[in-house]
Amino acid sequence: MHIVSIISLWFIPVLIGFILLYGTVKKVPTYETFVEGGKEGIKMAFSIIPFLVGMMVAISIFRASGALDFMIDWMRPGLEKFGIPADILPLAIIRPISGTAALGMTSDLIAAHGPDSFIGRLASTIQGSTDTTFYVLTVYFGAVGIKKMGDALKVGLLADLAGFAAAIVVVTLMFGM
Amino acid sequence: MVNYIWVGMTIIGLVFAAVNGTMSEVNEAVFKGAQEAVTLCIGLISILVFWLGMMRIAENAGLLEKLANLFKPFITRLFPEVPAGHPAMGYILSNMMANVFGLGNAATPLGIKAMEELKRLNGGKDSASRSMITFLAINTSSITLIPTTVIAIRITYDSASPTEIVGPTLIATSISTIAAILIDRYFYYRRSRKG
């Protein structure tokens, strides 16, 4: 664990130093190149705004109206048959849609059930092992102007489902109910 | 598909609000959601500018090409449509590296650059290519080595062992990444059978 935390602490600084030194050795005009590349970042951030605004407003409406809570209550009996705690469902639904909302829900679950409870551990594992599919999809495809997504959404969501299933199984096996 | 989900979430929410009498919350949610989205984008500018600047240096120095060559056997198998030594490979790899180390913010600009290169490979069309879908699938199941944020939350709530979830997270994320690749392959073969 110590090595892992050292790596996470040193990774970015070492990467920055390495790129700058490597560029200097290869005679790249580092500062000019940095500025030139950075300009692109401004354009990119602004081009993402409409995609995120559209998506996040829809999610907020869905959540604020009470529709999300209704969906959870409706699905609860079916889920509990498969050993899936219904409390985890909002997180599972929100996780592919909104990263910040999912983080909020994870902290909420950990606060309510305790970090070392089954739900707490499960929420931690789900939060850590999956990513925000809709965010990745809207940002990556939006920034480069991909309009026809093909199977991308289906594949992404099914992968998320596999991630949740894996998290539930692994946490159950390692820590028990 | 995304059109239906988008409209569906909004309309279901609106109908619910009408029935439930939560219209005032919904009014607030419209403005809060939009504001949150813009705040997120503004926050992204700093990181995007910095990492895209750094990565331009790495790119011009030939560093990404080197990285791509190193992992060529692995990546050519995953992305058969990307020619060996193409800059897209370098971006894909740096994006994966950033994800592995939990650098979500560094991963985003790299992922966008990778998509840009993949779009160029696809003749600039506005439809997703096979490689784009594979890249996306791997990204959404992101292999995580250190779930930093989660560990931080667990420490905040006095966990007896905040880092105990590192093991399960790594196992779960590996399984989901393998599953993502398999699911992606399945959909690809289904597509190609249909012609």
Side-chain angles (χ1 to χ4, degrees):
Chain A
M1 221 22 248
H2 191 56
I3 296 164
V4 174
S5 61
I6 287 177
I7 290 173
S8 55
L9 188 67
W10 282 71
F11 186 71
I12 300 177
V14 167
L15 190 64
I16 293 170
F18 182 68
I19 289 171
L20 290 180
L21 286 177
Y22 195 86
T24 308
V25 170
K26 291 278 168 182
K27 305 218 163 34
V28 174
T30 43
Y31 185 65
E32 281 97 331
T33 311
F34 172 82
V35 171
E36 189 199 317
K39 276 181 194 159
E40 224 175 297
I42 301 174
K43 249 190 289 163
M44 216 171 255
F46 277 100
S47 69
I48 295 167
I49 292 180
F51 295 97
L52 273 184
V53 169
M55 206 38 97
M56 287 179 84
V57 167
I59 294 163
S60 303
I61 291 174
F62 193 69
R63 198 154 29 118
S65 67
L68 184 65
D69 288 332
F70 181 80
M71 205 161 116
I72 289 159
D73 287 338
W74 182 64
M75 289 173 91
R76 189 183 292 268
L79 282 169
E80 280 174 352
K81 240 180 251 167
F82 293 99
I84 304 163
D87 298 278
I88 215 79
L89 191 67
L91 177 62
I93 291 169
I94 267 309
R95 189 69 188 101
I97 298 174
S98 161
T100 41
L103 197 63
M105 265 176 203
T106 301
S107 344
D108 196 56
L109 285 170
I110 289 176
H113 298 268
D116 302 322
S117 65
F118 181 71
I119 303 269
R121 284 164 172 156
L122 187 56
S124 306
T125 307
I126 288 176
Q127 177 70 27
S129 63
T130 50
D131 208 333
T132 320
T133 299
F134 277 88
Y135 174 81
V136 175
L137 202 81
T138 36
V139 171
Y140 284 16
F141 280 176
V144 298
I146 298 292
K147 296 200 184 79
K148 295 181 195 109
M149 295 187 183
D151 291 328
L153 184 62
K154 258 183 281 174
V155 173
L157 288 178
L158 281 172
D160 282 334
L161 204 62
F164 298 135
I168 291 172
V169 171
V170 171
V171 173
T172 308
L173 285 180
M174 285 188 76
F175 302 111
M177 295 294 280
Chain B
M1 175 114 176
V2 84
N3 290 318
Y4 291 120
I5 290 178
W6 189 58
V7 173
M9 269 196 307
T10 312
I11 299 300
I12 291 170
L14 292 180
V15 170
F16 239 88
V19 176
N20 262 5
T22 45
M23 222 32 124
S24 70
E25 282 91 335
V26 165
N27 269 308
E28 203 184 317
V30 171
F31 295 103
K32 267 215 175 130
Q35 198 178 22
E36 223 179 288
V38 174
T39 313
L40 201 69
C41 288
I42 302 293
L44 271 176
I45 293 178
S46 54
I47 278 302
L48 279 170
V49 168
F50 184 74
W51 278 109
L52 286 176
M54 289 311 282
M55 285 310 141
R56 182 67 65 89
I57 298 174
E59 191 189 355
N60 287 3
L63 206 59
L64 292 176
E65 253 171 87
K66 267 226 164 100
L67 199 70
N69 278 332
L70 206 68
F71 288 85
K72 203 155 56 182
F74 163 73
I75 209 111
T76 42
R77 218 157 281 170
L78 268 182
F79 298 93
E81 284 169 355
V82 180
H86 192 274
M89 278 195 188
Y91 285 123
I92 290 171
L93 265 161
S94 340
N95 168 273
M96 284 180 188
M97 299 278 237
N99 268 328
V100 163
F101 285 92
L103 311 170
N105 287 334
T108 304
L110 293 168
I112 293 172
K113 286 300 285 183
M115 279 293 177
E116 247 172 42
E117 294 294 336
L118 290 177
K119 190 186 181 185
R120 204 164 298 149
L121 271 176
N122 198 29
K125 279 179 257 170
D126 68 350
S127 53
S129 68
R130 178 193 174 185
S131 312
M132 289 180 187
I133 297 175
T134 306
F135 178 58
L136 204 103
I138 293 172
N139 238 285
T140 57
S141 66
S142 74
I143 291 198
T144 316
L145 202 59
I146 320 130
T148 11
T149 335
V150 173
I151 295 173
I153 296 172
R154 293 174 63 81
I155 292 171
T156 313
Y157 288 107
D158 300 321
S159 169
S161 175
T163 52
E164 70 180 2
I165 46 91
V166 170
T169 302
L170 196 57
I171 297 168
T173 196
S174 303
I175 294 173
S176 76
T177 302
I178 293 165
I181 294 168
L182 292 177
I183 292 164
D184 173 57
R185 279 291 137 101
Y186 168 73
F187 274 99
Y188 170 71
Y189 286 118
R190 217 180 63 161
R191 274 200 306 277
S192 50
R193 256 215 315 275
K194 264 191 236 160

